Amino acid sequence: MLFLFLQAAEPAALPSDWTTLAPLPYVAAPQLTPQLTSFVAGEIAANRCPVPKPADGHYVVKVDVATLVGTDGVVRRTVPHAINCPTVEQYAAGLVAGFARSNLALRAGGGDMWYRATITFDWRG
């Protein structure tokens, strides 16, 4: 009996191929404000992330975040894809969790499910 309880409590395994994950089902698409992007711009400017300066000064940094969502629409876990900048990876994962709060379309049955969200930070440096 204990084995069945532990087995039921285990989260769904994260697939190795994130391209197979469905997009996170936001009710309202999140909007990145300049204030949210400024953290990433600061990390790049402080040389904490190895992003070369683009010739035209237009930065675009994308972070994919795998997101485990329960059938109740609550985010259980976020896993950012490595871009060689841990602070920005964790920041993006936190943004996804925040954007998803009370903003996901509920689905019926099946248990917890992994989705993919992409956060794109876009600014002129």
Side-chain angles (χ1 to χ4, degrees), residues 8-68:
E10 289 180 27
L14 176 60
S16 58
D17 181 3
W18 288 18
T19 62
T20 64
L21 298 176
L24 194 59
Y26 291 117
V27 172
Q31 301 297 314
L32 281 176
T33 64
Q35 293 80 12
L36 294 175
T37 299
S38 69
F39 172 78
V40 178
E43 291 296 289
I44 304 296
N47 292 318
R48 287 190 278 272
C49 300
V51 176
K53 182 172 179 149
D56 65 356
H58 183 196
Y59 287 88
V60 177
V61 175
K62 291 184 180 187
V63 183
D64 286 327
V65 180
T67 308
L68 182 63

Side-chain angles (χ1 to χ4, degrees), residues 33-118:
T33 64
Q35 293 80 12
L36 294 175
T37 299
S38 69
F39 172 78
V40 178
E43 291 296 289
I44 304 296
N47 292 318
R48 287 190 278 272
C49 300
V51 176
K53 182 172 179 149
D56 65 356
H58 183 196
Y59 287 88
V60 177
V61 175
K62 291 184 180 187
V63 183
D64 286 327
V65 180
T67 308
L68 182 63
V69 178
T71 55
D72 56 1
V74 174
V75 171
R76 305 276 188 246
R77 187 171 168 210
T78 56
V79 179
H81 189 265
I83 61 165
N84 202 19
C85 185
T87 56
V88 171
E89 295 162 16
Q90 291 304 309
Y91 181 62
L95 287 176
V96 168
F99 290 149
R101 193 169 297 118
S102 299
N103 187 31
L104 295 179
L106 294 177
R107 60 180 176 73
D112 295 354
M113 186 169 162
W114 285 100
Y115 293 92
R116 178 184 33 83
T118 301

